[in-house]
Amino acid sequence: MTSELRDRVARLSLQSKVRLLTGRTGWTLHAAPGAGLLPVTVSDGPAGVRGTEATQDEHSASLPSPTAVAAAWDTALMERAGRFFAAEARRKDVDVVLAPVLNLHRSPVGGRHFECLSEDPHLTAELGAAFVRALQGEGVGACPKHFIGNETERERTGYRARIDERTLREVYLPPFEAALDAGAWTVMAAYNGVDDGVESHSMTDHRRLLTGLLKDELGFDGVVVSDWAAARSTAPSANAGLDLVMPGPRGPWSDGDALLAAVRAGEVAEEVVDDKVERLLRLAGRVGKLDRDTSRPVEGEDERAALREIGARGHVLLRNEGGLLPLAPAALRRVALIGPNAVDAHTQGGGSAHVNSKYRVGPVEGLREALPEDVDLTVVRGADPRRHLPVLARDRLTRLDLTLHDAAGGSLGARPVAEPAFHVDVAEPDAARAAVTAEITLTEPGTHHLEVGVVGRHTVRVDGVVRAEGGRTATEAEILESRHSHPDGPRVALEVTAAPRRVRVEIDTEVADFGGFGRGVIAQLRHRPPGPTADEEIARAVGAAAEADVAIVVVGTNDEVESEGYDRTDLHLPGRQDELVRRVAAANPRTVVVVNAGAPVLLPWLDDVPAVLWSWFGGQEYGHALADTLTGRAEPTGRLPWTLPRAHADVPVLDTRPTDGVLAYDEGVFVGHRAYDRDGREPHRPFGFGLGYTRWDLTRARLTGPPPARGGDGLLTAPVRVTASVANTGARPGRHVVQVYVEPPADGAGTTRPLRSLAAFASVPADPGELATVHLDLPPRAFAVWDTDTRSWRTPEGTYHLAVGSSSRAIAHRLPLQVR
C-alpha cells in the first residue's frame, strides 16, 4: 500500500499537495482527483456525532457523557457505544469522529472532566481502546485527543504542561499507546504546550513528541491533526510532525501560501510534505474515500432503547441504608420530585461535546412513565442555583436581527438571528461592528429581570436607556475560552403592570476575531419572569416532601459549571442545593438524593441521607434511565471512575491555574486515588466504589498463569493471570466489577511508586445464586517503571502483591507474586 500511495502522491504538484494539508472548511478536507482522493469529513464529538456545517443543526443522538459510560467499567459496553457512534457518523456522512478524549481527570475542577473517562491511566486506556476498536471496526475513523498533557481549561490555548518523562510515560501516555495499539487512524495534537524536561514547545510544534515519540517510537502511521486553531507556526509545526491544520480554509500553512513558500525556501523539505499527503491518502483509503466512495452504512440499534440502557448501566449507588432503593412503585401513593435538576436536568456538558438532540427526557417525564397512574407526583424546583438568569424563551421574541456595519458606519446588510443565545459567524471582511435589535414581549404582571451578556466592546440599551457601555476588545485566546460559556452583562428589573409590555433591546458590539475560527458576534439574552423567592421555593419543597411517601431530590451542576472553555473554581454544588437536601431529608426520612453531575462535587450530607445515586449527564434518555434505576427495572452497575473527595483540603490537585504560563505536574505519578493512598487520606467514596441491589461474595482469588519471567527488554515476558470466583448471594441478577491492583515491593533503585495501581478489571454478570468465574490478565507494563537514566522500562525484583477487590480500598484478597 505504501508504494501505491507514494505513486499517488507523485501525481500531484507541490502546490496541490500543500493545499491538502489545511482543511477546506471547518469540517471537511480537500479532494485531489488526480490522486483519487475524495473529500473526507470529520466531526465532533465525544458525546454524540454533531455533524458538519450542513448537518450540525439537525438531530444528533445525545449519548450519556463519556464519564457516564466509563463508570460501567465494561469494555463491551464501551464497544457498543463505539458502534452506535459509527452508525450516527454514517447517518451524517461523517468519516472521522473526534473522539475519544483520553486526557485524565488530573483535577476534579477540570472543565472538560465529563468528556474524559477516568483519573486512572489503565481504566482510561482499556476503555479508550475499546471505543477505537469498535468505531473503526465499522469503517469510521477515531481521533484520540488531546495529545498530550491537556488536563485543564485555564489559559487553554497558551499554557505549557511541565511533565517529567517518567510521569509522561507511566501516567499520561498509556491511554494514547493503547489507542494506537487498537489501530487509531488519527490523533489530535492539543492546544497546550509540553515541557518534558528536554524540549518545551506547543504541542503542534513539539517534534520530540509528535515525530520522535508518536510516529517513530510508537509507529503511528496515521494523521496528526491540530486541535481547531491550535496551529500557530508554519515551518516549525510542519517539521515537528503535524500533518493537517484545522479548521480551514484559513491557517498558518494556507494564509499567504505560507507553507508553499517555506518549502520553496528550503525551510521545509518536500519529502516532509509528501509524508503528510501519504498519511492523508492512507486515512482516505481506510474510511472508504479513495478513488470511489466505498464507505459502508452501519446498522444502528434502536436509539431510545440503546441510550436508555447505556445510561442506566453507569449509575453509581453511593448509599442505600435500609434498602430504600429500589422503590416499589405499587406501594407508592405520593411522590415528591424536588430540585433544580429535577425540573431542568443537565443531560450533557457544554462546548464541542454538545449536540442538538431531537428530544430530551427529564426526570419528570421518566418517573411519570414508570409510576402507576394513580400515584400523585408533585414537582418542586426548590430554588434556582444559577449565577446568570436562564436564556430567554424563544417564544417571547417578536424580533431578533443583526445588522453589520463597516468601520465608517455604513450598513453591510441585515440578517435574522434564530436563538436568544447566539454565536453568529461573520464572513464579510469589511464588517467591523454589529447592531443587534431584539423585541421582547412580557406578559405576566410583576417584576421581570432581563440580562444581556456580550463578548467584546459593546453598548447595551433597554428601551432606549443605556444600561451597559464599555468592555474591551476580546483576544483570540479569550474568545476560544468563552465562546461556549456565558458572558456577563447588565441585569435590569422591568415592571409589568399592564400586559403585554413590549421591550426593545439594542446591542452595539464589535465583530470579534476568532483566529482560525473566523470572525463573529457572541451574545445572550437572558430572562426571569416574576416568581417566588428562593426561601419560598425551598419552603414549598420541604412541605411537599413532608406529605410524600418518598422524596426524590435531584441536585447537580448546570451548563454554567461544567463546560469546555473554563475550569470550576470549587467543588460545591451551586446555589443552596446542600441546604435543600438537608431540609428535605429532615422532613422525610425516606429521601433519595440523585446527583446529576459529570464531575465530583462535595456532598457534605452523603452519610446523613438514606440513599444517594450518582446519575451523571445521561444524554437524551436521562429521565427514562434514571427512573429505571430508581424503580428497579435496571441495576445500578456503575463504579466511580474517579475518587469522590470529602473536602477541598483532601483534593490532591485543586488549583489548575498556570504560573507564568506553566502548569507544573509536580504530583508526578500520584494522580487521583494514588495520591489519596500516598497521603493516607480517607475519601468520601474511593475509586472503583459502587453498591448495587444485590449482594456479592468474591472468593477463591488465585494465580493461574505460568510463573513470571523477565525478558531482555526489562518487562515480563507474558501477562500475569488472576482467576477469581464471584457469587451473587442476593435475590436479583446483577453485575459486579472485579478489580485487581498491583502493590509493588520496595524498589532497590529508590524509585517511589504508588501503593496500589489498577492493573485489570472485569464487569461480571451473574443471576441470583450463580457462581461466576473470571480471568483477569495483568499486562507486563503493570509491574514496570520507567527508568529515566536508561530511558527504558525495567521491572524491579521482589515480592509484589496483587490486591483483588471491589474498589481501591475494598480488598478481599492479596496474592503474593515473586519476580526475580
Side-chain angles (χ1 to χ4, degrees):
M1 183 67 172
T2 298
S3 60
E4 180 200 344
L5 294 179
R6 288 175 181 166
D7 290 342
R8 292 174 183 266
V9 173
R11 301 176 201 168
L12 301 174
S13 67
L14 174 61
Q15 187 169 2
S16 296
K17 290 184 291 189
V18 169
R19 179 172 175 268
L20 297 177
L21 304 182
T22 298
R24 181 174 66 85
T25 69
W27 303 104
T28 59
L29 310 188
H30 287 284
L37 176 64
L38 279 63
V40 172
T41 300
V42 304
S43 173
D44 282 321
V49 182
R50 187 192 295 178
T52 66
E53 292 91 341
T55 62
Q56 280 196 8
D57 291 334
E58 298 177 2
H59 156 61
S60 296
S62 173
L63 283 84
S65 64
T67 306
V69 185
W73 287 56
D74 189 346
T75 54
L77 186 74
M78 186 60 77
E79 289 175 352
R80 182 180 177 188
R83 288 189 292 272
F84 189 97
F85 267 80
E88 277 286 284
R90 284 302 178 216
R91 183 173 69 83
K92 288 179 169 284
D93 294 325
V94 166
D95 302 304
V96 178
V97 176
L98 305 178
V101 179
L102 298 182
N103 304 113
L104 299 186
H105 296 155
R106 175 176 177 261
S107 172
V109 301
R112 301 181 79 167
H113 197 286
F114 63 92
E115 285 190 58
C116 309
L117 300 173
S118 173
E119 70 183 22
D120 187 86
H122 181 74
L123 182 58
T124 298
E126 291 295 302
L127 295 175
F131 182 89
V132 171
R133 283 194 303 270
L135 182 70
Q136 295 190 167
E138 301 293 346
V140 177
C143 184
K145 60 183 186 180
H146 309 83
F147 188 80
I148 194 169
N150 186 228
E151 276 78 27
T152 185
E153 291 296 282
R154 291 181 183 266
E155 301 178 25
R156 63 189 297 228
T157 63
Y159 77 88
R160 294 195 180 182
R162 191 174 65 212
I163 312 175
D164 66 83
E165 188 174 16
R166 180 189 169 206
T167 300
L168 185 76
R169 293 280 185 165
E170 293 188 19
V171 178
Y172 296 99
L173 184 60
F176 288 95
E177 285 187 273
L180 298 191
D181 288 343
W185 296 338
T186 71
V187 169
M188 182 183 290
Y191 282 124
N192 59 279
V194 170
D195 178 354
D196 63 358
V198 179
E199 293 185 12
S200 180
H201 298 293
S202 66
M203 272 311 307
T204 53
D205 288 359
H206 212 301
R207 185 168 188 167
R208 174 177 158 85
L209 294 181
L210 292 185
T211 295
L213 175 60
L214 190 64
K215 292 183 175 180
D216 293 345
E217 181 180 335
L218 299 181
F220 177 60
D221 67 353
V223 173
V224 177
V225 56
S226 71
D227 202 342
W228 267 228
R232 305 299 176 88
S233 69
T234 302
S237 59
N239 289 323
L242 186 67
D243 299 312
L244 176 65
V245 169
M246 292 295 287
R250 295 179 57 191
W253 292 358
S254 58
D255 290 356
D257 288 331
L259 181 56
L260 181 63
V263 175
R264 288 173 173 166
E267 298 171 7
V268 177
E270 187 169 355
E271 291 79 8
V272 170
V273 171
D274 290 349
D275 177 71
K276 301 179 192 305
V277 175
E278 182 179 328
R279 289 170 182 270
L280 285 172
L281 291 171
R282 183 178 295 115
L283 172 64
R286 286 166 167 169
V287 300
K289 291 299 175 69
L290 204 56
D291 292 329
R292 59 188 179 85
D293 189 343
T294 58
S295 59
R296 61 184 187 275
V298 179
E299 184 176 349
E301 293 187 69
D302 176 81
E303 183 176 297
R304 292 177 180 266
L307 300 188
R308 184 170 179 165
E309 182 180 344
I310 292 172
R313 282 288 313 279
H315 289 166
V316 182
L317 188 60
L318 298 179
R319 182 173 167 87
N320 194 23
E321 291 302 299
L324 177 55
L325 292 178
L327 301 174
L332 300 174
R333 291 296 174 263
R334 290 185 176 181
V335 174
L337 180 58
I338 297 166
N341 291 51
V343 175
D344 185 17
H346 194 28
T347 60
Q348 55 178 320
S352 59
H354 182 88
V355 298
N356 298 313
S357 59
K358 183 166 55 180
Y359 67 91
R360 185 184 68 166
V361 180
V364 177
E365 183 181 350
L367 274 173
R368 185 68 278 173
E369 180 194 83
L371 297 174
E373 291 184 0
D374 60 348
V375 172
D376 181 9
L377 180 64
T378 301
V379 181
V380 186
R381 182 173 66 171
D384 187 351
R386 293 174 179 269
R387 184 170 66 91
H388 290 302
L389 301 182
V391 172
L392 179 77
R394 191 174 180 180
D395 60 8
R396 292 184 182 272
L397 281 171
T398 55
R399 175 188 175 190
L400 180 59
D401 56 39
L402 179 149
T403 302
L404 295 173
H405 298 275
D406 60 24
S411 175
L412 299 177
R415 65 183 69 175
V417 179
E419 298 293 339
F422 58 85
H423 171 186
V424 176
D425 292 317
V426 174
E428 293 86 339
D430 295 333
R433 303 199 64 80
V436 179
T437 302
E439 293 180 355
I440 301 167
T441 301
L442 306 179
T443 56
E444 305 91 330
T447 303
H448 292 248
H449 289 87
L450 185 68
E451 210 171 58
V452 184
V454 189
V455 171
R457 293 185 182 274
H458 62 272
T459 300
V460 176
R461 294 179 176 84
V462 178
D463 286 340
V465 178
V466 174
R467 297 290 187 170
E469 192 168 24
R472 61 185 176 83
T473 298
T475 66
E476 179 183 340
E478 288 169 336
I479 293 295
L480 288 173
E481 291 180 7
S482 67
R483 58 187 275 123
H484 299 298
S485 62
H486 307 264
D488 290 325
R491 182 178 297 188
V492 182
L494 300 168
E495 295 296 332
V496 176
T497 55
R501 176 176 174 178
R502 308 288 184 182
V503 179
R504 183 182 179 91
V505 177
E506 297 167 291
I507 305 170
D508 180 42
T509 183
E510 66 183 348
V511 175
D513 190 342
F514 304 155
F517 288 95
R519 304 167 69 238
V521 178
I522 298 175
Q524 290 187 353
L525 302 176
R526 302 187 283 257
H527 168 254
R528 184 176 67 214
T533 66
D535 286 338
E536 291 170 337
E537 287 197 77
I538 292 175
R540 184 184 169 204
V542 171
E547 297 177 356
D549 299 325
V550 64
I552 302 170
V553 189
V554 187
V555 297
T557 57
N558 53 56
D559 56 4
E560 292 181 346
V561 179
E562 294 191 66
S563 174
E564 177 183 358
Y566 48 86
D567 288 348
R568 292 188 287 169
T569 56
D570 60 51
L571 299 179
H572 292 301
L573 283 170
R576 297 169 62 180
Q577 294 184 84
D578 289 332
E579 176 189 351
L580 177 66
V581 169
R582 290 194 183 280
R583 292 183 61 181
V584 168
N588 190 326
R590 288 172 52 83
T591 293
V592 177
V593 182
V594 176
V595 183
N596 172 210
V601 291
L602 299 182
L603 307 178
W605 34 260
L606 174 56
D607 297 322
D608 300 325
V609 298
V612 180
L613 179 74
W614 198 288
S615 63
W616 309 104
F617 298 156
Q620 65 192 42
E621 284 289 329
Y622 173 72
H624 284 148
L626 176 60
D628 287 346
T629 300
L630 292 175
T631 60
R633 291 181 180 177
E635 176 88 1
T637 61
R639 303 294 185 266
L640 290 178
W642 38 251
T643 305
L644 181 65
R646 187 178 298 273
H648 285 118
D650 295 332
V651 177
V653 178
L654 189 62
D655 188 353
T656 59
R657 292 172 298 182
T659 300
D660 296 329
V662 175
L663 188 64
Y665 284 45
D666 290 340
E667 71 281 359
V669 300
F670 295 94
V671 178
H673 62 96
R674 299 173 172 191
Y676 281 84
D677 290 342
R678 176 198 62 192
D679 299 337
R681 294 180 179 177
E682 188 66 30
H684 220 162
R685 294 294 185 270
F687 174 73
F689 177 89
L691 305 173
Y693 293 156
T694 188
R695 298 185 304 276
W696 299 94
D697 189 11
L698 182 57
T699 64
R700 298 187 60 213
R702 56 210 182 271
L703 292 167
T704 53
R710 290 189 297 172
D713 61 356
L715 298 175
L716 299 184
T717 57
V720 173
R721 170 161 287 193
V722 172
T723 299
S725 298
V726 186
N728 182 346
T729 61
R732 293 172 53 97
R735 283 180 173 269
H736 189 61
V737 177
V738 181
Q739 303 162 38
V740 183
Y741 298 82
V742 170
E743 298 176 349
D747 188 349
T751 303
T752 303
R753 302 182 67 177
L755 172 69
R756 192 172 290 138
S757 300
L758 181 68
F761 62 91
S763 177
V764 184
D767 290 326
E770 182 181 358
L771 180 68
T773 299
V774 58
H775 304 286
L776 302 107
D777 290 328
L778 284 63
R781 185 78 65 80
F783 301 88
V785 295
W786 180 259
D787 190 314
T788 54
D789 292 331
T790 63
R791 299 197 68 249
S792 63
W793 293 98
R794 64 179 178 84
T795 305
E797 295 182 346
T799 302
Y800 293 76
H801 286 88
L802 309 183
V804 185
S806 304
S807 79
S808 66
R809 295 291 179 93
I811 303 302
H813 306 277
R814 294 178 74 245
L815 310 176
L817 178 74
Q818 190 69 35
V819 174
R820 295 185 174 85

